[in-house]
Amino acid sequence: NAGVTQTPKFQVLKTGQSMTLQCAQDMNHNSMYWYRQDPGMGLRLIYYSASEGTTDKGEVPNGYNVSRLNKREFSLRLESAAPSQTSVYFCASSEAISGGVTEAFFGQGTRLTVV
Amino acid sequence: GENVEQHPSTLSVQEGDSAVIKCTYSDSASNYFPWYKQELGKRPQLIIDIRSNVGEKKDQRIAVTLNKTAKHFSLHITETQPEDSAVYFCAASIGGGFKTIFGAGTRLFVKA
């Protein structure tokens, strides 16, 4: 099992360009997440999908859109990249159980630089 | 709003000593509290977790305690080793469990 796979691993964008970060999991998890990680600020939730067909805003959704394409895939789109979106992006998935969720499994991360 | 605060931001201990990291959360409906370890350049990985119906959980050198009344939980690492050096994140699942909010992280240095 590959777990959670993100592409690309590195990306440099110019201000105003758009791009989509891809994420796929092979653990049959219901829930998927996108986080960004900035120095000294931990992991901040951008969007999450509790189950296939649903998406919800997290702590910092502005400037991003998501698509839960199917149970395996959850993509993150930057429509018009800004320097403030320079960060490391992590996709994660977890199983939904009665009353909550279980451990989150993270992808290897995407290091995005916007110049 | 929803918030998880984590202290200290940096912790330096001598090998063999204990390390304690503390977190507080704001949403009383939170019911799942995981702790993740992130080594430099790697992805976060779960080291231990606790649910709201349990007050304490232990796994070898690692333990977590939860005080629901005070809305705080702590990670305890005993007999620290150099390989414990990493960034540790606490988290709390809120909003029915799907929305997991992380603390800002604690950078732990274990000196040999």
Side-chain angles (χ1 to χ4, degrees), chain B residues 1 16 19 25-26 32-34 37 45 51 56 64 70 72 76-77 83-85 101 105 107:
Chain B
Y25 60 98
S26 59
Y32 176 61
F33 307 90
K37 176 183 180 181
Q45 292 190 298
R51 297 198 179 272
E56 184 173 358
V64 58
H72 66 69
H76 305 253
I77 306 174
E83 50 266 38
D84 293 331
S85 296
I101 303 297
R107 187 171 296 276

Coordinates of all heavy atoms in Angstrom, one line a residue, chain B residues 1 16 19 25-26 32-34 37 45 51 56 64 70 72 76-77 83-85 101 105 107:
Chain B
G1 N -13.0 31.6 18.8 CA -13.2 30.6 17.9 C -12.5 29.3 18.3 O -12.0 29.2 19.4
G16 N 17.8 11.2 28.8 CA 17.5 10.5 30.0 C 16.5 11.2 30.9 O 15.8 10.6 31.7
A19 N 10.3 14.9 29.3 CA 9.9 16.0 28.6 C 8.3 16.1 28.7 O 7.7 15.0 28.6 CB 10.3 16.0 27.1
Y25 N -7.4 23.4 24.6 CA -8.4 23.5 23.5 C -9.6 24.3 23.9 O -9.9 24.4 25.1 CB -8.7 22.1 23.0 CG -9.4 21.2 24.0 CD1 -10.8 21.1 24.0 CD2 -8.7 20.5 24.9 CE1 -11.4 20.3 24.9 CE2 -9.3 19.6 25.7 CZ -10.7 19.5 25.8 OH -11.3 18.7 26.7
S26 N -10.3 24.8 22.9 CA -11.4 25.8 23.3 C -12.8 25.1 23.1 O -13.7 25.5 23.8 CB -11.3 27.0 22.4 OG -11.4 26.6 21.0
Y32 N -11.4 13.9 20.4 CA -10.3 13.0 20.0 C -9.0 13.9 20.0 O -9.0 15.0 19.4 CB -10.6 12.5 18.6 CG -9.4 11.7 18.0 CD1 -8.9 10.5 18.6 CD2 -8.8 12.0 16.8 CE1 -7.9 9.8 18.1 CE2 -7.8 11.3 16.2 CZ -7.3 10.2 16.9 OH -6.3 9.4 16.4
F33 N -8.0 13.4 20.6 CA -6.8 14.3 20.9 C -5.5 13.5 20.5 O -5.0 12.7 21.3 CB -6.7 14.7 22.3 CG -8.0 15.4 22.8 CD1 -9.0 14.6 23.4 CD2 -8.1 16.7 22.6 CE1 -10.2 15.2 23.8 CE2 -9.3 17.4 23.0 CZ -10.3 16.6 23.6
P34 N -5.1 13.6 19.2 CA -3.9 12.9 18.8 C -2.6 13.7 19.0 O -2.7 15.0 19.0 CB -4.2 12.7 17.3 CG -5.0 13.8 16.9 CD -5.8 14.2 18.1
K37 N 4.4 13.4 15.6 CA 5.8 13.7 15.6 C 6.3 13.9 14.2 O 5.9 13.2 13.3 CB 6.6 12.5 16.2 CG 8.1 12.7 16.2 CD 8.8 11.4 16.7 CE 10.3 11.5 16.7 NZ 11.0 10.3 17.2
Q45 N 3.6 12.0 11.8 CA 3.2 10.7 12.1 C 2.7 10.6 13.5 O 3.3 11.1 14.4 CB 4.3 9.7 11.8 CG 4.7 9.6 10.4 CD 5.6 8.4 10.1 OE1 6.7 8.4 10.6 NE2 5.2 7.5 9.3
R51 N -9.0 9.5 23.6 CA -10.3 9.9 23.3 C -10.9 10.5 24.6 O -10.4 10.2 25.7 CB -11.2 8.8 22.8 CG -10.7 8.3 21.5 CD -11.7 7.5 20.7 NE -11.0 7.1 19.4 CZ -11.1 7.9 18.3 NH1 -11.8 9.0 18.3 NH2 -10.5 7.5 17.2
E56 N -6.2 8.9 30.8 CA -4.7 8.7 30.6 C -4.5 7.5 29.7 O -5.2 6.5 29.7 CB -4.1 8.5 31.9 CG -2.5 8.4 31.9 CD -1.9 8.4 33.3 OE1 -2.6 8.5 34.3 OE2 -0.7 8.3 33.3
V64 N 0.0 10.2 27.6 CA -0.8 11.4 27.4 C -1.9 11.4 28.5 O -2.5 10.4 28.8 CB -1.5 11.4 26.0 CG1 -2.3 10.2 25.7 CG2 -2.3 12.6 25.8
A70 N -10.8 21.1 32.6 CA -9.9 22.2 32.3 C -9.6 22.4 30.9 O -9.0 23.4 30.5 CB -8.6 22.0 33.1
H72 N -7.5 20.7 28.9 CA -6.1 20.6 28.5 C -5.6 19.2 28.6 O -6.2 18.3 29.2 CB -5.2 21.5 29.3 CG -5.1 21.2 30.8 ND1 -4.5 20.1 31.3 CD2 -5.5 21.9 31.9 CE1 -4.5 20.1 32.6 NE2 -5.1 21.2 33.0
H76 N 3.8 13.3 27.8 CA 4.9 13.0 28.6 C 5.8 12.0 28.0 O 5.4 10.9 27.6 CB 4.4 12.5 30.0 CG 3.4 13.3 30.7 ND1 3.7 14.1 31.8 CD2 2.1 13.6 30.4 CE1 2.7 14.7 32.2 NE2 1.7 14.4 31.4
I77 N 7.1 12.4 27.8 CA 8.1 11.4 27.3 C 9.1 11.2 28.4 O 9.7 12.1 28.8 CB 8.8 12.0 26.0 CG1 7.7 12.4 25.0 CG2 9.7 10.9 25.4 CD1 8.3 13.1 23.7
E83 N 17.1 10.4 19.5 CA 16.1 10.2 18.4 C 14.7 10.7 18.7 O 13.9 10.7 17.8 CB 16.1 8.7 18.0 CG 15.8 7.7 19.1 CD 17.1 7.2 19.7 OE1 18.1 7.9 19.8 OE2 17.1 6.0 20.1
D84 N 14.5 11.1 19.9 CA 13.2 11.8 20.2 C 13.2 13.2 19.7 O 12.1 13.9 19.7 CB 12.9 11.8 21.7 CG 12.7 10.3 22.2 OD1 12.2 9.5 21.5 OD2 13.0 10.1 23.4
S85 N 14.3 13.7 19.3 CA 14.4 15.1 18.8 C 13.6 15.3 17.6 O 13.8 14.5 16.6 CB 15.9 15.5 18.6 OG 16.7 15.5 19.7
I101 N -7.9 20.4 14.5 CA -7.1 21.6 14.6 C -5.8 21.3 15.3 O -5.9 20.6 16.4 CB -7.9 22.7 15.3 CG1 -9.2 23.0 14.6 CG2 -7.1 24.0 15.4 CD1 -9.1 23.5 13.2
G105 N 3.0 23.6 17.6 CA 4.2 22.7 17.6 C 5.2 23.0 18.7 O 5.3 24.2 19.1
R107 N 9.3 22.2 19.4 CA 10.6 21.7 18.9 C 11.3 21.1 20.1 O 11.7 21.9 20.9 CB 11.4 22.7 18.1 CG 12.6 22.1 17.5 CD 13.3 23.2 16.6 NE 12.4 23.6 15.5 CZ 12.3 22.9 14.3 NH1 13.0 21.8 14.1 NH2 11.5 23.4 13.4

